[in-house]
Amino acid sequence: MSVRQALRVPDELLASVPAEERGAGRDDVRLMVSRGSAVSHHSFRQLPDQLRAGDVLVVNTSQTLPAAIDGTLDGTPVVVHFSVRGDDGRWVVELRDPLPGGSTRRRPGGPAGTVVRLAGGARLGWEEPLQYGEDRLWWARPSARDVPGLLRRHGRPIRYAYTRRDQPLAAHQTVFARPAADGAGSAEMPSAARPFTAELVAELVSRGVQFAPLVLHTGVASTEADETPYPERYEVGAATALLVNAAKAGGGRIVAVGTTAVRALETATGPDGLVRAAAGWTDLVVTPERGVRAVDGLLTGLHEPAASHLLMLEAIAGHEALTRSYAEALRNLYLWHEFGDIHLILPDEDAHLPHC
């Protein structure tokens, strides 16, 4: 039985507010470390003790957009989640029904020709489903040319039902987030990096851990359905490619901060294991069958049972190790989702030692 089939997460373990509202700061979360079947428990502030000089943390610098915006459809209030901008000016969007308390629920999109009036006066015309036969995500054409600007003026961060209240956009940005020249960004926060603070980054650097930036603009996830990740924009620069290749050649471990960093870096990695500068769209889905070529470890949040990301985690950790670590997370009452606790997957180096 797979982890996805066996896992059941009780509602009380869904983090409903940011760590700084529960404790002393955004780095006040727990850190579960798994090396093969060995699992240990720490605070996130102890991350430097789990890494060593020469290791590289690969971080996603995409900034989070206030990607949820109110609108009306035939006079009925709706919420639109803007996800991914296409090369032709269209956007992939999701239509939601507002609920009392500020969250939303899934609503089918379309049909083609549907027009939603958005806050600020813009209009959004539905054109075609993102994938044939599915009705959640649609390609739609906005009347506004500057959608990021529209969202900055009238939007707010996407929120799901397990969170207690709306949070300011700053709560959805990581310390690594940088504005893109074209205003692009992520519909949802690359949340594995959320607990990092400037002080922790400085300590890691002082210990010889390096940081390699890349960009992957994340689209909207689905908390109600088991869906395969769809194409997203990414960019891996030449400096990051050189740094990762040099670190691997020198025996350093490449630890991706978040599944988005894995997807982008693995897209830019050839069958020979070398990373090359690359940019564009990636439709890569990392599975145990595909495996990983550049990544040795992963720093990530805890994922829902239906999340396709668990296949990526299994590709890095292995089935038995992932099953053991998630059982430990449940037993020790770790918190799930973007405001929750963190899981560090490192290679089981003892498994590669010769036996006497």
Side-chain angles (χ1 to χ4, degrees):
M1 181 180 293
S2 72
V3 180
R4 302 169 78 200
Q5 293 170 324
L7 187 62
R8 296 291 183 272
V9 182
D11 288 347
E12 58 267 25
L13 296 186
L14 307 181
S16 60
V17 296
E20 54 270 31
E21 293 189 22
R22 304 191 303 265
R26 61 166 57 201
D27 59 349
D28 192 8
V29 298
R30 288 185 290 171
L31 176 69
M32 179 174 66
V33 180
S34 57
R35 294 177 174 86
S37 60
V39 179
S40 58
H41 305 281
H42 312 267
S43 72
F44 190 78
R45 296 186 184 112
Q46 294 174 305
L47 176 63
D49 298 332
Q50 306 301 320
L51 302 173
R52 60 193 184 209
D55 288 344
V56 173
L57 291 174
V58 182
V59 297
N60 185 2
T61 63
S62 177
Q63 66 174 356
T64 308
L65 297 175
I69 187 170
D70 292 326
T72 57
L73 174 57
D74 296 330
T76 301
V78 294
V79 176
V80 176
H81 290 173
F82 277 81
S83 182
V84 176
R85 178 169 57 189
D87 295 330
D88 59 359
R90 297 187 301 172
W91 283 73
V92 175
V93 299
E94 179 187 29
L95 193 63
R96 310 278 295 187
D97 284 323
L99 293 175
S103 63
T104 62
R105 68 185 170 201
R106 182 174 177 174
R107 172 183 178 136
T114 296
V115 175
V116 172
R117 295 176 180 269
L118 301 175
R123 296 187 177 197
L124 187 64
W126 261 241
E127 294 193 351
E128 59 183 334
L130 176 64
Q131 295 180 338
Y132 179 78
E134 296 186 3
D135 63 4
R136 185 174 77 92
L137 298 172
W138 280 68
W139 283 109
R141 191 174 298 277
S143 62
R145 292 185 179 181
D146 180 15
V147 170
L150 176 71
L151 296 175
R152 285 193 298 271
R153 292 188 298 274
H154 301 285
R156 60 188 178 277
I158 288 175
R159 175 190 165 194
Y160 291 113
Y162 54 81
T163 55
R164 190 175 301 166
R165 66 181 72 90
D166 284 341
Q167 296 290 338
L169 184 59
H172 293 262
Q173 303 291 10
T174 75
V175 71
F176 305 110
R178 295 293 179 269
D182 62 356
S186 290
E188 296 178 355
M189 171 177 52
S191 56
R194 189 182 191 278
F196 281 89
T197 62
E199 293 78 14
L200 184 61
V201 171
E203 182 178 352
L204 286 162
V205 170
S206 73
R207 294 195 186 197
V209 176
Q210 302 180 83
F211 287 84
L214 51 70
V215 175
L216 186 135
H217 295 313
T218 66
V220 295
S222 172
T223 58
E224 300 97 342
D226 179 4
E227 297 179 0
T228 300
Y230 50 89
E232 295 168 313
R233 287 181 176 272
Y234 81 103
E235 181 176 0
V236 177
T240 286
L242 287 170
L243 176 56
V244 170
N245 291 336
K248 288 186 73 71
R253 298 173 298 184
I254 309 304
V255 179
V257 179
T259 56
T260 63
V262 176
R263 193 182 203 194
L265 190 66
E266 290 291 320
T267 299
T269 305
D272 58 1
L274 291 177
V275 182
R276 296 171 175 85
W281 291 86
T282 176
D283 59 2
L284 176 65
V285 179
V286 177
T287 64
E289 292 73 27
R290 190 268 186 190
V292 288
R293 298 167 178 172
V295 172
D296 300 304
L298 173 63
L299 194 70
T300 184
L302 293 160
H303 300 279
E304 282 279 21
S308 59
H309 293 314
L310 286 175
L311 294 174
M312 179 187 292
L313 270 62
E314 190 171 330
I316 297 169
H319 173 73
E320 292 185 10
L322 187 61
T323 301
R324 170 73 183 275
S325 62
Y326 266 67
E328 282 283 300
L330 287 170
R331 186 177 303 115
N332 288 274
L333 304 181
Y334 275 68
L335 296 179
W336 258 249
H337 290 307
E338 68 267 29
F339 298 140
D341 296 315
I342 298 295
H343 182 196
L344 174 61
I345 301 170
L346 291 173
D348 182 8
E349 292 167 336
D350 290 342
H352 302 291
L353 294 176
H355 296 284
C356 297

